[in-house]
């Protein structure tokens, strides 16, 4: 168990060093988020990815354009956990960006739960992120 923990810490330190101290992410983990690099939606999705620390200017996914959309919340695919998001905004309107995912569709409504971890004496909520950009006003 302690070897596995040490290995995880070592790998985490290497990933952190890849985007820390002004260095940029590598082509194999091109997207930077909060000082870490990877190649999935958790790191590359627009508004989560830091283009200044990412591998190059096109590493971060660009926001999809605005569209006239009504979300009925009648399908569980309207909101998906970020690890399941394919990057196609037309298949999922919203993406839950935290783990554990405490969001769900229930009776035609989006439910954002907060769980309480008694062992840690704290709660953990949820946040959803639109797969399209929003334009407020006219």
């Amino acid at each position: 168990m302690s070897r596995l923990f040490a290995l995880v810490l070592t790998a985490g330190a290497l990933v952190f060093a890849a985007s820390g101290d002004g260095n940029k992410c590598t082509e194999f983990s091109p997207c930077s988020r909060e000082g870490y690099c990877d190649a999935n939606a958790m790191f590359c999705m627009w508004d989560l990815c830091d283009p200044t620390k990412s591998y190059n200017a096109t590493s971060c996914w660009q926001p999809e354009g605005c569209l006239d959309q009504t979300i009925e919340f009648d399908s569980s695919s309207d909101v998906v956990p970020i690890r399941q998001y394919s990057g196609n905004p037309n298949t999922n309107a919203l993406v839950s960006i935290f783990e554990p995912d405490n969001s769900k569709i229930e009776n035609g409504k989006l439910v954002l739960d907060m769980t309480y971890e008694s062992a840690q004496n704290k709660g953990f909520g949820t946040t959803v992120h639109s797969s399209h950009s929003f334009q407020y006003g006219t």
Side-chain angles (χ1 to χ4, degrees):
M1 178 73 166
S2 62
R3 276 191 215 168
L4 177 61
F5 182 69
L7 178 62
V8 170
L9 279 179
T10 302
L14 291 174
V15 171
F16 180 78
S19 69
D21 299 328
N23 296 324
K24 294 189 177 241
C25 297
T26 68
E27 65 182 301
F28 302 105
S29 296
C31 303
S32 176
R33 179 178 178 200
E34 299 175 6
Y36 295 91
C37 300
D38 210 330
N40 60 42
M42 292 180 77
F43 293 80
C44 296
M45 194 170 179
W46 70 276
D47 202 36
L48 298 177
C49 185
D50 179 358
T52 65
K53 301 268 177 146
S54 294
Y55 178 64
N56 62 32
T58 60
S59 296
C60 297
W61 299 350
Q62 297 302 308
E64 295 297 321
C66 294
L67 71 133
D68 187 11
Q69 180 181 30
T70 301
I71 305 168
E72 299 292 336
F73 297 116
D74 57 357
S75 169
S76 62
S77 69
D78 286 335
V79 61
V80 295
I82 197 162
R83 289 199 186 270
Q84 293 176 12
Y85 182 60
S86 68
N88 181 353
N90 298 314
T91 58
N92 310 107
L94 300 167
V95 179
S96 176
I97 63 171
F98 289 119
E99 293 177 343
D101 174 24
N102 292 324
S103 66
K104 61 187 169 200
I105 304 294
E106 195 172 85
N107 299 320
K109 293 180 172 65
L110 173 63
V111 178
L112 304 175
D113 282 335
M114 182 171 180
T115 58
Y116 180 72
E117 300 289 334
S118 58
Q120 297 177 356
N121 196 28
K122 66 179 181 178
F124 191 83
T126 190
T127 301
V128 295
H129 189 77
S130 173
S131 57
H132 284 90
S133 54
F134 279 90
Q135 179 177 351
Y136 296 96
T138 56

